[in-house]
Amino acid sequence: MRSISNILDNIQIKDIERYCYFWGISSFNWEIEVTKEVKALKKKIDKASLYGYFHGYTMTITDETVDELKIPFLQIIYDMHAFSCMEDDIWELVSLENFKSFVVSRVAIMEEQGWYVTSDKEIIYPQVKTIFTKKEKSVEKWDKIFYIRFCPSFSRVYERYDAELYWINPMNFQELVRVYLMNVIVKYYKTILGKYDVSVLAVNWVWALNNCLYPIKNITTRMISDRDKYLVGNLEGRLSEEVPFLSDIYKEYDEKKIKQLFDIPEKIMPSRGMLRHVDRNGQYINVIAGRRTTTDIPSDYNNTIYMFGGCVFFGYAEEDKNTIPSNLQRIINEKNAKYRVVNLAAWGGNIDEEHMWLRTLRYKPGDIVLISYAGIIPLGDDYEKSDISYEFAINDNRIRYFNTLVHCNRYGYEAVARTIYSKIESLMRKNYIACGYIDAFKNSGIDYELVCEFNEYYKSVENQVPKNIEKFAAIVMNCNPFTNGHRYLIEEAAKTEEWLLVFVVEEDKSEYKFEDRIKLVKEGVSDLSNVSVIRSGKMMISGKTFPEYFTKKENNTIEIDPSSDVYLFARLIAPMFHIYRRYVGEEPKDLVTQKYNMVMKEILPTYGIELIEIQRKKIDDETISASDVRRYVSEGEWEKVRQIVPITTYDYLKKHK
């Protein structure tokens, strides 16, 4: 879950209404009963301390239907956060009755696996009281205890059961709600995408979680607690103390490399249900447009396997080439199947916080979506068939994991990838039939106001687009000012295209005003009969879609995110203008533009849009650059300016110097 401060800042009326609906509460006044008190506390307590404070904080809600409820504060805000990440069409499938049925079925599964299921005696929601107040069996016959906590305190659990004798697996009640919602989400996407012959599979780690310290048997809580020293967070700062263990995990001890592998990119949620990592360009961990790099992707592929989940799919302290998706990609390549594997998992995330990404993707029949949940309560109905961890039962004396079996090293990931392949092989298309992309969720996940704004923009420029052309190529350029380099890119693209649309960035945050820039472009390509020069509106390289583009001097780093701009182009702009190909100039210097090109290469092909990168025009082995033009103008180097701009641009610059 995200930080408490972020959740509190984003609670909306609809989230409160959903909370009341789900739990059968008529209403409660969030502003009076919660927000006022929280705001006062936030002034006194550092944000980082809020979790520790609220961990034991209980709120009393008075309601006419259930009298008085004493509810842990975390339960309330985490429920609301989970509810808020669901679109209306998914929320329609949620109900308290379905939740109760789900809990009953999961209790039965846990008991089948040898768990003694019990809970706090103080059950905060009367609606689920009957599930947890059945006559208890004698605990002496069991060695594993699954404990549902309504009170956040761990002390109650260990007051009742001895950690030296039992394996006690406590779960906060809000996590049970969360697993239910994930189950609803998986079923929803399985139904919707199944109509297009796209397979959605929830995969579980049931065997590994029930044998978490394999090959050790008769596990106790004390043993698990002792093993926690090998959690990545607990290893940091004491690497030198664990050289033998880390040498076995990584085959050799390389402290510099290990520190980089432990440095996981920060997570962000740019909009609800779209959890992702910030981009990273590293030696061992790379993230582009929220996707961790999968190695060995073939250039020739027909279909895609999208992988969602937490750290186990993202890669637990392993380099790109050793993650489950990369291992799976190599297996697929060996089998000559024309599939690529895309890693959309987030460390510490799950599908309830990631599922809106599924609405931004375009699919082809035969694509596969894999959703991993490494929790003790499994997703899906046939959880045994969806278990991807049972190959760990092969004991070859290799160390395969850190603190617990699901936190694998490369050997564990290899085993899991083999198991996954065996489960999806029958779903993979052997005889590929050419077909177009499916936009199963057209415009879903895009702000409604943006769609309306784009429609208005399109109406204002559609008369500049030829009506007798079926498909177009496009270039988006700022032209600050228009140079011979820009002219070369347009000319090269126009040579091979029936018609080329050149969108000039309309955002007025450049040295030269938009009206002047677009005028110079039109004058500079007036001899090209198959080129239309069009204003970009506010949807292409604008302060709204890609603000970092206009702060290059302050922000000339790879830690930027142009993916919103690229997704809007792919999902809104390209379909409306019938754009099938986009041209860009190769960028040798500017890191921001380099990153923009990288993200386009990653995203556009998934929408059926080809990206063509053309080598930049050079003069005396120097790449022509608009920034050089601006520098030469400021220095009065007019002969140098004349060499790299069209005469129309030169005359304009001389006139406005």
Side-chain angles (χ1 to χ4, degrees):
M1 291 287 183
R2 302 310 98 229
S3 75
I4 290 177
S5 291
N6 289 339
I7 294 172
L8 289 171
D9 291 340
N10 289 288
I11 292 294
Q12 298 178 3
I13 295 296
K14 184 167 72 171
D15 307 330
I16 300 168
E17 291 173 346
R18 285 181 171 183
Y19 178 87
C20 293
Y21 159 78
F22 187 80
W23 290 116
I25 300 170
S26 60
S27 65
F28 68 94
N29 194 317
W30 175 263
E31 186 65 32
I32 294 174
E33 298 192 47
V34 181
T35 308
K36 184 177 179 181
E37 184 168 358
V38 168
K39 285 180 178 178
L41 286 168
K42 285 171 74 174
K43 291 179 181 178
K44 302 176 184 177
I45 306 172
D46 183 88
K47 285 188 176 184
S49 304
L50 278 174
Y51 182 86
Y53 181 84
F54 285 126
H55 191 70
Y57 183 60
T58 300
M59 277 192 56
T60 300
I61 293 178
T62 303
D63 179 78
E64 62 187 42
T65 58
V66 292
D67 297 327
E68 189 176 87
L69 296 175
K70 291 185 179 295
I71 305 175
F73 186 75
L74 294 181
Q75 177 77 54
I76 296 173
I77 61 172
Y78 278 178
D79 279 356
M80 287 189 188
H81 173 67
F83 296 159
S84 74
C85 288
M86 306 182 80
E87 287 288 273
D88 290 343
D89 51 355
I90 304 179
W91 178 252
E92 290 174 0
L93 305 176
V94 173
S95 73
L96 180 58
E97 288 305 309
N98 287 342
F99 170 64
K100 288 160 68 175
S101 297
F102 174 81
V103 173
V104 169
S105 70
R106 266 39 191 184
V107 168
I109 288 172
M110 297 304 292
E111 290 178 341
E112 285 173 10
Q113 295 172 5
W115 291 91
Y116 174 79
V117 181
T118 186
S119 71
D120 287 338
K121 296 189 183 302
E122 299 85 0
I123 298 173
I124 57 174
Y125 292 115
Q127 299 89 334
V128 295
K129 207 162 195 173
T130 56
I131 299 174
F132 298 105
T133 55
K134 60 186 180 181
K135 187 176 180 180
E136 290 195 357
K137 303 172 185 177
S138 174
V139 71
E140 285 76 17
K141 297 179 181 179
W142 305 73
D143 55 14
K144 300 191 299 184
I145 299 169
F146 186 70
Y147 193 104
I148 305 294
R149 295 186 301 156
F150 291 89
C151 170
S153 173
F154 273 99
S155 61
R156 291 193 182 185
V157 181
Y158 299 116
E159 285 172 4
R160 290 178 64 181
Y161 303 107
D162 190 341
E164 302 286 353
L165 297 177
Y166 297 104
W167 176 3
I168 308 164
N169 198 328
M171 172 182 271
N172 287 337
F173 184 71
Q174 69 251 24
E175 285 297 307
L176 194 58
V177 176
R178 187 181 180 193
V179 179
Y180 161 69
L181 296 177
M182 286 192 273
N183 210 57
V184 172
I185 288 167
V186 170
K187 286 186 176 181
Y188 169 83
Y189 286 104
K190 191 170 186 175
T191 300
I192 297 297
L193 293 176
K195 296 175 183 177
Y196 302 99
D197 195 20
V198 175
S199 300
V200 178
L201 282 79
V203 294
N204 296 291
W205 298 70
V206 176
W207 190 91
L209 289 160
N210 280 278
N211 298 272
C212 66
L213 300 183
Y214 184 80
I216 298 172
K217 297 181 180 180
N218 301 318
I219 299 168
T220 67
T221 297
R222 180 62 61 203
M223 293 177 187
I224 294 172
S225 179
D226 290 344
R227 182 80 186 188
D228 278 350
K229 66 182 179 181
Y230 295 133
L231 271 166
V232 162
N234 293 336
L235 283 167
E236 289 178 310
R238 44 184 290 272
L239 298 181
S240 59
E241 300 173 25
E242 298 293 349
V243 171
F245 172 79
L246 291 168
S247 297
D248 285 337
I249 283 283
Y250 291 112
K251 290 180 67 176
E252 62 180 1
Y253 181 79
D254 182 337
E255 187 168 314
K256 183 179 179 182
K257 178 179 179 178
I258 292 170
K259 284 182 177 179
Q260 290 184 51
L261 293 175
F262 283 12
D263 182 19
I264 307 302
E266 179 188 352
K267 292 191 295 290
I268 57 172
M269 191 181 285
S271 61
R272 295 183 178 206
M274 298 186 81
L275 182 68
R276 53 164 292 183
H277 288 278
V278 298
D279 285 3
R280 166 76 60 82
N281 183 9
Q283 186 175 356
Y284 304 108
I285 297 177
N286 292 274
V287 179
I288 301 173
R291 306 171 179 201
R292 183 164 186 187
T293 296
T294 301
T295 61
D296 304 294
I297 291 179
S299 57
D300 180 23
Y301 61 87
N302 296 328
N303 286 97
T304 302
I305 298 169
Y306 297 102
M307 302 183 71
F308 290 86
C311 58
V312 290
F313 269 10
F314 178 82
Y316 192 87
E318 270 292 358
E319 55 188 302
D320 294 338
K321 68 179 182 179
N322 290 334
T323 63
I324 293 173
S326 292
N327 275 290
L328 180 60
Q329 184 69 71
R330 286 191 288 274
I331 294 170
I332 290 170
N333 295 348
E334 290 169 5
K335 303 293 184 179
N336 296 316
K338 291 193 172 184
Y339 275 75
R340 65 162 182 165
V341 181
V342 173
N343 188 347
L344 283 158
W347 183 299
N350 276 305
I351 194 62
D352 59 328
E353 294 185 304
E354 300 168 357
H355 74 96
M356 288 301 291
W357 287 111
L358 285 162
R359 295 174 180 251
T360 70
L361 304 173
R362 293 178 82 203
Y363 305 89
K364 285 185 176 181
D367 284 355
I368 299 171
V369 177
L370 294 175
I371 298 169
S372 168
Y373 177 58
I376 191 69
I377 294 181
L379 293 183
D381 297 323
D382 200 345
Y383 70 92
E384 290 178 312
K385 285 187 178 179
S386 64
D387 192 339
I388 58 175
S389 66
Y390 52 76
E391 193 170 329
F392 287 126
I394 301 170
N395 185 11
D396 54 9
N397 296 318
R398 281 181 172 176
I399 291 182
R400 294 175 179 266
Y401 59 95
F402 287 81
N403 65 307
T404 181
L405 203 50
V406 298
H407 289 157
C408 309
N409 65 353
R410 57 179 298 183
Y411 300 117
Y413 286 151
E414 288 171 2
V416 172
R418 288 193 297 269
T419 306
I420 290 175
Y421 181 78
S422 71
K423 293 185 178 300
I424 66 173
E425 185 178 13
S426 63
L427 301 173
M428 298 172 71
R429 290 198 162 199
K430 303 297 189 299
N431 300 312
Y432 178 71
I433 301 172
C435 57
Y437 282 90
I438 302 158
D439 197 350
F441 305 97
K442 189 174 182 180
N443 293 344
S444 179
I446 301 176
D447 186 271
Y448 177 72
E449 291 183 4
L450 279 180
V451 176
C452 294
E453 187 176 338
F454 173 74
N455 288 338
E456 290 301 314
Y457 157 74
Y458 181 75
K459 288 177 187 176
S460 71
V461 300
E462 64 177 327
N463 62 341
Q464 300 174 48
V465 181
K467 297 291 187 289
N468 60 334
I469 307 295
E470 291 187 1
K471 59 182 182 179
F472 297 89
I475 297 174
V476 181
M477 49 176 52
N478 194 28
C479 304
N480 183 36
F482 186 67
T483 69
N484 288 338
H486 295 119
R487 161 74 192 203
Y488 176 76
L489 176 59
I490 294 171
E491 197 170 11
E492 288 298 300
K495 285 179 184 178
T496 57
E497 300 298 338
E498 185 177 8
W499 204 275
L500 178 68
L501 305 178
V502 177
F503 296 98
V504 179
V505 172
E506 190 170 352
E507 191 79 59
D508 249 332
K509 293 186 177 181
S510 300
E511 186 165 333
Y512 298 102
K513 292 186 177 298
F514 165 70
E515 289 82 0
D516 295 335
R517 288 186 285 109
I518 195 169
K519 181 173 181 290
L520 291 176
V521 178
K522 288 179 176 179
E523 291 174 348
V525 299
S526 59
D527 59 314
L528 301 178
S529 60
N530 64 335
V531 175
S532 296
V533 180
I534 305 170
R535 67 184 182 88
S536 70
K538 299 298 182 182
M539 303 294 156
M540 292 176 260
I541 310 184
S542 69
K544 187 176 291 186
T545 66
F546 188 13
E548 298 95 336
Y549 184 85
F550 303 98
T551 56
K552 292 183 180 183
K553 289 182 180 179
E554 300 84 12
N555 200 15
N556 200 19
T557 83
I558 47 79
E559 300 294 339
I560 60 169
D561 182 13
S563 59
S564 294
D565 184 276
V566 180
Y567 274 119
L568 279 172
F569 182 87
R571 301 186 66 206
L572 273 181
I573 297 159
M576 190 68 85
F577 284 98
H578 302 288
I579 295 167
Y580 80 107
R581 182 178 289 161
R582 181 164 170 176
Y583 287 85
V584 297
E586 185 184 63
E587 182 50 62
K589 298 178 182 178
D590 188 325
L591 291 178
V592 173
T593 305
Q594 279 180 16
K595 182 63 178 293
Y596 190 40
N597 288 355
M598 285 173 61
V599 172
M600 282 192 282
K601 287 178 185 176
E602 184 75 22
I603 294 174
L604 293 184
T606 67
Y607 287 83
I609 303 166
E610 186 180 5
L611 186 76
I612 304 293
E613 194 170 28
I614 293 179
Q615 189 171 3
R616 296 271 292 274
K617 186 176 179 64
K618 295 182 178 181
I619 297 290
D620 297 329
D621 291 329
E622 285 293 322
T623 301
I624 295 176
S625 166
S627 59
D628 286 339
V629 174
R630 296 194 298 273
R631 179 164 55 85
Y632 294 153
V633 169
S634 67
E635 294 172 354
E637 298 278 359
W638 290 103
E639 185 54 38
K640 290 183 179 179
V641 174
R642 186 193 297 274
Q643 292 178 20
I644 58 176
V645 300
I647 186 62
T648 48
T649 300
Y650 181 81
D651 290 344
Y652 166 83
L653 294 173
K654 287 287 285 186
K655 183 178 179 180
H656 295 85
K657 62 181 178 178

